[in-house]
Amino acid sequence: MSMVEGPYAFVFYDSLNQRVFYGRDVLGRRSLMSRRCSEDSIEITSVHAGPGGRDWAEVGAGGLYVLDLALESAPPAPINQNEAEHRTRIAILFSGGLDCTVIARLVHDILPDQDEIDLVNVAFENPRTVQAIARSSRVASDITSAYELCPDRITGRKSLAELECLCHSRKWRFVAVDVPYSETAAHRSEITTLLHPHNTEMDLSIGCALYFAARGIGAVKDLNSEALIPYCTPARVLLSGLGADELFGGYTRHAKAFDRGGYPTLVEELELDFQRLGRRNLGRDDRVISHWGKEVRYPYLDEGLVSWALSVPVWEKCDFGQTFGWKPKLERDKKLLRLLAWTLGLRSPAAERKRAIQFGARTAKMESGKTKGTHIIV
């Protein structure tokens, strides 16, 4: 298995020797969970069937496990390892931020010009935000404004304009996925089930955004009339920018780690984030997205890129130190990626500040402003 690259999760039954082998790829990009039901039974699944799965745990990433059925109570042991449908194959989870816009720009260089690319941009009706808009005298208090005023919708359209200017031979299709609060509430139970064993408000906020983005039902602008027409992306493969923050130092806590103890502390924080990606993010996201029969791919988590990025000195990846002479002047985080974006002509994304998906799409704190991301879902 050490020779196999790419995302995978599997369960294999060896009937001759009465053993079960199972495991996930080295980064944990595909979901696989297990739970001990009794002393002599264990369940293994990608997505469990119901909400009563509080004992499920993510299978460790990068390991090959064997369960010897001849030894009934033996725990699993790790093994050491030395039209549009015809033209649209790819969709990108697109907030207009740095990570996903760089992916879009590079995909343009790879795919034939006749291939169309869907940019899926999700925005939510957040009751608290709608109320704030209604109190404002500057903006009309309608739901359409609430969607279009979502931070990710604003940056999405802005970055789309840059892509269209730079890559004019490509047909970019901006898929505006607008999610009413009633629809979020109606799907909450299903999303909560898919998230297990993760169960915090932050998990729910992120899960909601990915769930409706992966469904891909939204609206696109008619080329002739500019009117919005219903559309559902036919793409079965979704590209995500996950992994860029962990590799290149994109979180606020990375800057705080540097302020506490310089580059050694920053390196420790980056290592911690990267090591827990499979446990905290990837399995959860895979369950939510694959619910719609879609497969998510993570360009920043390609094994070759990961190996290279981990070998690069941290001060070349992010600029939390007092570095002088940088031109252009950009944010300190993910400096290497920002300079790449600038070189590719993506000036706005290169300067865009990091914004978490739950705040950009406004899935966070829908009912109460006092809710914290660490609160357990009830």
Side-chain angles (χ1 to χ4, degrees):
M1 295 302 298
S2 61
M3 301 297 292
V4 179
E5 294 186 358
Y8 64 81
F10 73 93
V11 179
F12 173 75
Y13 174 52
D14 177 5
S15 60
L16 182 63
N17 296 300
Q18 290 190 297
R19 294 189 297 179
V20 175
F21 297 87
Y22 61 100
R24 301 165 71 191
D25 65 83
V26 68
L27 298 177
R29 286 163 289 189
R30 291 292 170 264
S31 171
L32 196 65
M33 301 178 293
S34 66
R35 70 172 177 178
R36 174 69 68 175
C37 302
S38 64
E39 286 296 320
D40 57 359
S41 67
I42 186 173
E43 291 184 46
I44 306 168
T45 184
S46 291
V47 180
H48 61 79
R54 297 295 178 181
D55 297 329
W56 290 103
E58 301 276 6
V59 170
L64 178 61
Y65 295 86
V66 60
L67 183 65
D68 192 338
L69 301 183
L71 305 174
E72 295 181 355
S73 60
I79 297 177
N80 290 330
Q81 299 187 63
N82 280 327
E83 154 104 349
E85 292 196 7
H86 299 300
R87 295 180 306 209
T88 308
R89 296 181 291 168
I90 296 292
I92 299 172
L93 301 176
F94 191 75
S95 67
L98 172 66
D99 309 336
C100 61
T101 310
V102 167
I103 288 175
R105 176 62 184 82
L106 295 177
V107 167
H108 166 72
D109 290 341
I110 297 171
L111 292 183
D113 283 346
Q114 64 269 24
D115 281 21
E116 300 171 0
I117 300 175
D118 285 351
L119 306 175
V120 181
N121 181 279
V122 65
F124 285 74
E125 177 195 356
N126 185 313
R128 295 175 61 251
T129 303
V130 172
Q131 292 173 9
I133 293 174
R135 290 194 297 267
S136 172
S137 59
R138 302 189 304 272
V139 183
S141 59
D142 57 54
I143 299 303
T144 302
S145 297
Y147 296 132
E148 290 301 314
L149 288 175
C150 276
D152 280 0
R153 181 60 52 81
I154 294 171
T155 56
R157 294 200 183 280
K158 189 176 181 181
S159 295
L160 169 66
E162 288 204 6
L163 287 170
E164 289 177 330
C165 181
L166 292 168
C167 314
H168 47 80
S169 63
R170 175 77 56 194
K171 181 177 179 181
W172 303 96
R173 188 182 290 106
F174 189 88
V175 185
V177 177
D178 297 341
V179 186
Y181 176 69
S182 59
E183 194 166 7
T184 303
H187 288 261
R188 177 187 167 108
S189 177
E190 180 71 41
I191 297 169
T192 302
T193 298
L194 293 169
L195 293 173
H196 286 323
H198 303 280
N199 60 353
T200 67
E201 289 290 342
M202 181 181 292
D203 292 315
L204 181 60
S205 296
I206 296 172
C208 282
L210 295 177
Y211 180 87
F212 287 102
R215 188 176 66 167
I217 299 176
V220 298
K221 282 187 177 180
D222 182 82
L223 294 178
N224 298 317
S225 65
E226 290 291 302
L228 289 175
I229 56 176
Y231 177 81
C232 179
T233 179
R236 311 306 295 177
V237 175
L238 307 179
L239 301 184
S240 166
L242 184 68
D245 291 311
E246 289 78 7
L247 284 174
F248 300 106
Y251 292 121
T252 301
R253 60 178 174 269
H254 296 150
K256 291 180 178 178
F258 178 84
D259 292 339
R260 282 198 316 271
Y263 285 118
T265 304
L266 172 60
V267 168
E268 291 176 0
E269 191 72 25
L270 287 169
E271 288 179 352
L272 175 63
D273 275 343
F274 188 76
Q275 289 171 0
R276 62 189 179 187
L277 256 178
R279 185 173 69 253
R280 292 185 64 180
N281 302 76
L282 294 169
R284 174 199 66 197
D285 296 354
D286 184 51
R287 288 190 292 278
V288 172
I289 292 172
S290 63
H291 173 76
W292 297 110
K294 308 290 178 70
E295 177 155 326
V296 61
R297 304 283 176 84
Y298 305 100
Y300 293 111
L301 295 180
D302 173 82
E303 281 96 333
L305 177 60
V306 167
S307 178
W308 172 81
L310 294 178
S311 70
V312 174
V314 67
W315 51 85
E316 293 185 11
K317 295 189 290 186
C318 47
D319 182 30
F320 294 121
Q322 296 299 316
T323 303
F324 299 95
W326 280 107
K327 292 182 180 181
K329 184 173 176 59
L330 300 171
E331 295 292 323
R332 300 189 305 164
D333 63 303
K334 293 189 287 193
K335 194 64 172 245
L336 190 151
L337 202 56
R338 292 185 184 279
L339 290 172
L340 172 61
W342 188 273
T343 303
L344 292 171
L346 301 169
R347 302 303 168 84
S348 293
E352 190 67 35
R353 288 190 173 186
K354 163 70 181 176
R355 183 172 55 240
I357 186 174
Q358 63 268 34
F359 299 113
R362 287 184 171 159
T363 58
K365 302 184 178 182
M366 284 195 172
E367 288 84 15
S368 170
K370 297 181 179 179
T371 302
K372 293 184 178 180
T374 54
H375 287 172
I376 301 300
I377 300 170
V378 294

